[in-house]
Structures are given as structure tokens and as C-alpha cells.
Amino acid sequence: MNLADIQAAVGLRTPIRHQLFIDGRFVDAESGETQATLNPHDNSVIAEVAMAGHTDVDKAVAAATKAFPAWSRMAAADRGRILLKLADLIEANAEELARLESLDTGHPLRDSRNLDVPRTAACFRYFGGMADKLQGDVVPVEVGFLNYLLREPLGVVGQVVPWNFPLMFTSWKMGPALAAGNTIVLKPAEITPLSTLKIAELMSEAGMPDGVVNIVPGLGSVAGQYIAEHPGIAKIAFTGSTATGRRIVQASAGNLKKVQLELGGKGANIVFDDANLLAAVNGSAWAIFHNQGQACIAGSRLVLHERIADEFLDKFITLAKSIKLGNPLDASTEMGPLTSRMHRDRVLAYVDVAREQGGEVLAGGKGPSASDLANGCYVEPTIVKARSFKDRVAQEEVFGPFVTVLTFKDDAEAMQIANSTDYGLGSGLWTRDLQRAHKMARDMHAGMVWINSYKRVNPGSPFGGVGQSGYGREMGFEAMREYTQVKSVWVNVDAQIPPWYPRA
Ligand code: NAP
Ligand code: MG
């Protein structure tokens, strides 16, 4: 099928964008190189997408550098207005964006429609409103001096995003950076560039000046690495694996870029014996199976009090087995395919890793048998009981619909398990005991804790991790601070300063 036929087949009204977006225009890569982006439902080719090389990144940085003075000096409210307009356009094109995201990533349409697109619009709207809310400060210094603090944008920022929530992460990254007055060179993941390119189109429509936002799909090892190294880029913000995060830190050293990292996680989701069991079962399924488990904050370690473990698992396994796997573009699908074949294989390999260490597969552990899903990257909801919290499946991020079950006897053991990994991103707990809940929240080595819920996000609430889950925070006022630097300005109003040197 050609691109126009695919477009029609999935109900898209407008062309699928597949070129780089530099200085306000869609252009081919200088080298002419392209790479196919696939539909993970059946691994058919959707589009050949231009792949940026060094020259293209250089052009994008040049465009962003040229656009920076005017954009950063524009009235903050006017920058905000463009982001607010973009949020409206995202809502006006909601179905288009939802279908495109489902096609390219495998997100079930009900997720793309109900979560990805509304959250993307909400994020741009939040930061549109935030643009003129971040204020400087005045410091009460010595008599006779006025010391004020300016919050200034950094300049050109590089942003590298992964394939698990491409649309939503585009807004998490670009919203605060743009509101604060920075210009951007963003690289989407090579396997999921389509929704980000569509956002670029809508940005132009919203009145974004040329060069403020540049999108350079390409290989991480080429375009991503070059962005991290680039001397013209003041900061790099990255979401992805911890291993790549380390590489980015090293690459950033050349010009001492500011770095912000949102890396992997191995979320502990603890269920105490006094929890509302039904709420905990439903919430724990959401924690791991939403988006096929491809979430850094997934509740991928299910830590159960031994008194309720059997009853909980009974209900949880029944729920997991009832989840409807299918074509993401079918509105009744609850779980789609993983986003790539390579990743599907990686996730399934962990089933063997679990068995080798004495783990027991309680559900799933394989692809579905339905013939219409045979060519896709599907994995059944998988529940594995591990022997120890030290096992690989209890320590390493699987990033799929794969949950590792562990049990505990008392609060101290629950906390020991929760804090036993190098990661520290999201975590959760289910209990009716108020004191225990707050105590656990205090002691958990994590950037986010959910009590009697899991995986809540909001544009106003800081998102990020500790330990090997990275540093820096997305969203909220924190994100605006991450994309600005403080300048301290001293004014001698009427200070009595001796002529040269204070004499005793
Ligand atoms: P990854 O390699 O970290 O990829 C994330 C992004 O970084 C992609 O855009 C990637 O480009 C780019 N990249 C790769 N190497 C780079 C480099 N040397 N310099 C700059 N950018 C580079 O993640 P992955 O390989 O796709 O996934 C592997 C694992 O990472 C997953 O299984 C999961 O454990 C973790 N992960 C975590 C998150 C999260 O939300 N925290 C998201 C995705 C993955 P390409 O497009 O070429 O890959
Ligand atoms: Mg794809």
C-alpha cells in the first residue's frame, strides 16, 4: 500500500508527515536517507521517514539559534498564547492524532483517545498558562543595594524522547522549554516519529515562529548522540534507558551542557493485608498492563503481604487473563502489541530468565495464539512469581506486560524489598492505615509515591526520579526552573561605599 492508501485505511484525513521539520519547513535529510516506521500490529510499513544526520542536526541547531533572541524576548504571555492555541488545535485534531499514535506505537485507541491526546493538550495548556507566571525574585541584601534575580531561558535545548509515549512526552519536554523562552531541537525515537511530526505541523498552524521548534527523527547513535555532544546546545533533556542516559552525560561533557534525565524504573507496588483488595487488584493491573507495561513508572514489582497473597493473586490472575488483546485501532482493544519486534523479543526473553532462577509463570509468558495477531508484537499479560527480591526479574526493568510477584511478612520487609533496586522512580502502596501510608511514603527511595492509587500524572505535579532513575523534574514549576537559569543583578541604589578599600 502507498502512503495515501494507508492514510485512508486508518481513517486519517490529513497527510502523514515523514520528513524532518527544520526552520518551519518539512525537508528531506541532506543524505536522502530514510527508514521505515512500522505498524506493530502486523509489522507492515507505514511510511519511510527521513533520518537526520549530523548536517541536518547542525541546520536545526542553526535555525534554533537564529530564532532564540526573538522568541526569548517575546512577551511571556504571547509565547503562552501560542501554546494555548496549540492545545486547542490538538483537541480539534484529537481523532487524527489518536489514530496516528495508535498506528505507530500500538497504543490501544481507547488509550490514545482518552489519555495520550487529552494529556498532551492539557500539558501544553498548562505550560501555555505558566509562561507568564514564573517570576524572578528580590533578595533582602545589605542596605543601599537592590538585588534582583532574573530567570532566563537557557538557549537552544536538545530533547531526546523514547518510543513508549511519543506524543505525550513531546508535550512534557517542549511545553516548559518553550514557555520559558528556549528554542528546541527534538529527536523522537526512530521507531515512533509520526505523532511528533504532526505536532510540528500544528505548531506552525498555531503561529509558532520558524526555527523555534525543530524535529529531527534519526538514529539515537547518530542524531541523538550528536545532539548530546553539540557545542551549540545549552541543555539536553532525555527520557529513556539508564544505559543511554549514562552515554548522554558523557557526551554532554564537551561544553558542560545542563543535563536532565528521566530514566528507567522498577516500581514497587505494595499491597498490605488491610487494603481494599478489589481496588488494589484493579489498580495493580492498571499499574503494569496499561500501555503494555511500557512505562518507566510501571508497577512492575507486585509486593504482597503473605496473608492476602493467594486471594489477591486469584483475582489478579483472573483479571489479567480477561484482558482483551487486539488491533490497537479496534476501539474495544484493552492491550495492544509492544512497540517493536525487537522489544517484544527482549520482554519474552525475561520469561526464560525468570525460569532459570526458579521463578514460576502464573499467567502469560508468551505471545497470544490468535492467528490475526500472529505477525504483531503481542505479549500476553504475564505474571511471574520470583524466589527472591534479588532475582533478575525483580531487579531489572523488563518494560513490558510483565509483573514480578514478591511476598513479605511485615512492614520492615516490605520497605526492604521496595528499596532494594538501584532505581527510584515511581512506587505505590495500598493500605487503610494512615500512619503506615505516610511512613512508607517518607521512607521509599522514589521520586513519586502513590497511595491507594497508581500511575497518576498531572502537568502540575513534578515527575522524575532518584538514584539510577535520573535527575531533574518534568512538569510543574519545577520544570520551568529546569529550563531557566538565575541571573543575580546587583544595583547600588544609595549604598555608602568607601572610595577604594574599606578602612578599619
Ligand atoms: P533508549 O536507547 O534509551 O532510547 C531512548 C531514546 O534515546 C531514543 O530516541 C533513542 O534513539 C535515543 N538514543 C539511543 N542512543 C542514544 C545516544 N547514544 N545518544 C543520544 N540518544 C540516544 O531506549 P530503547 O533502546 O528504545 O529502550 C531500551 C530500554 O530503555 C527499555 O526496555 C526500557 O527499559 C528503557 N526505556 C525507558 C523509558 C522511560 O520512559 N524511562 C522509555 C523507553 C525505554 P533511537 O530512536 O535510535 O532508539
Ligand atoms: Mg512504528
Side-chain angles (χ1 to χ4, degrees), residues 160-164 169 187-191 218-221 223-226 228 236 238-242 244-245 247-248 262-265 295-296 342-343 346 397-399 425:
V160 175
V161 290
W163 42 263
N164 53 335
F169 284 162
K187 190 196 90 65
E190 83 204 42
I191 59 171
L219 295 177
S221 54
Q225 179 78 23
Y226 193 54
I236 178 146
F238 170 76
T239 298
S241 63
T242 298
T244 305
R247 239 169 267 138
I248 288 198
E262 201 270 277
L263 309 175
C296 45
M342 198 174 87
H343 186 58
R346 188 176 169 271
E397 186 177 45
V398 178
F399 217 65
L425 197 57

Side-chain angles (χ1 to χ4, degrees), residues 152-316:
E152 297 182 330
L154 305 170
V156 179
V157 300
Q159 303 185 320
V160 175
V161 290
W163 42 263
N164 53 335
F165 292 99
L167 183 60
M168 196 175 76
F169 284 162
T170 295
S171 67
W172 288 19
K173 288 270 181 289
M174 296 209 287
L178 292 171
N182 301 280
T183 57
I184 291 174
V185 176
L186 181 145
K187 190 196 90 65
E190 83 204 42
I191 59 171
T192 58
L194 300 183
S195 57
T196 310
L197 292 170
K198 200 70 187 173
I199 291 289
E201 181 186 311
L202 297 180
M203 284 209 162
S204 289
E205 208 180 319
M208 189 65 76
D210 292 349
V212 172
V213 170
N214 304 275
I215 312 290
V216 287
L219 295 177
S221 54
V222 180
Q225 179 78 23
Y226 193 54
I227 288 172
E229 289 166 3
H230 207 290
I233 292 182
K235 162 178 175 164
I236 178 146
F238 170 76
T239 298
S241 63
T242 298
T244 305
R246 258 185 223 108
R247 239 169 267 138
I248 288 198
V249 171
Q250 284 158 359
S252 72
N255 70 333
L256 296 176
K257 269 182 201 64
K258 203 170 154 149
V259 182
Q260 182 175 348
L261 301 173
E262 201 270 277
L263 309 175
K266 190 74 183 174
N269 179 33
I270 309 174
V271 185
F272 291 92
D273 57 350
D274 66 341
N276 173 336
L277 219 56
L278 189 60
V281 166
N282 287 327
S284 302
W286 172 254
I288 186 64
F289 298 129
H290 162 238
N291 203 36
Q292 298 71 250
Q294 301 168 126
C296 45
I297 54 173
S300 54
R301 288 182 298 154
L302 183 54
V303 188
L304 304 175
H305 193 286
E306 59 182 20
R307 249 199 309 270
I308 50 99
D310 288 344
E311 190 190 347
F312 182 98
L313 283 173
D314 222 36
K315 292 184 166 60
F316 187 67

Side-chain angles (χ1 to χ4, degrees), residues 373-412:
L373 307 184
N375 292 329
C377 311
Y378 292 88
V379 174
E380 286 182 355
T382 297
I383 304 168
V384 167
K385 190 160 189 324
R387 288 240 285 244
S388 155
F389 67 83
K390 294 182 180 151
D391 289 356
R392 283 184 59 196
V393 290
Q395 290 289 324
E396 297 172 20
E397 186 177 45
V398 178
F399 217 65
F402 182 115
V403 66
T404 301
V405 178
L406 300 159
T407 56
F408 66 93
K409 283 189 179 59
D410 54 28
D411 290 17

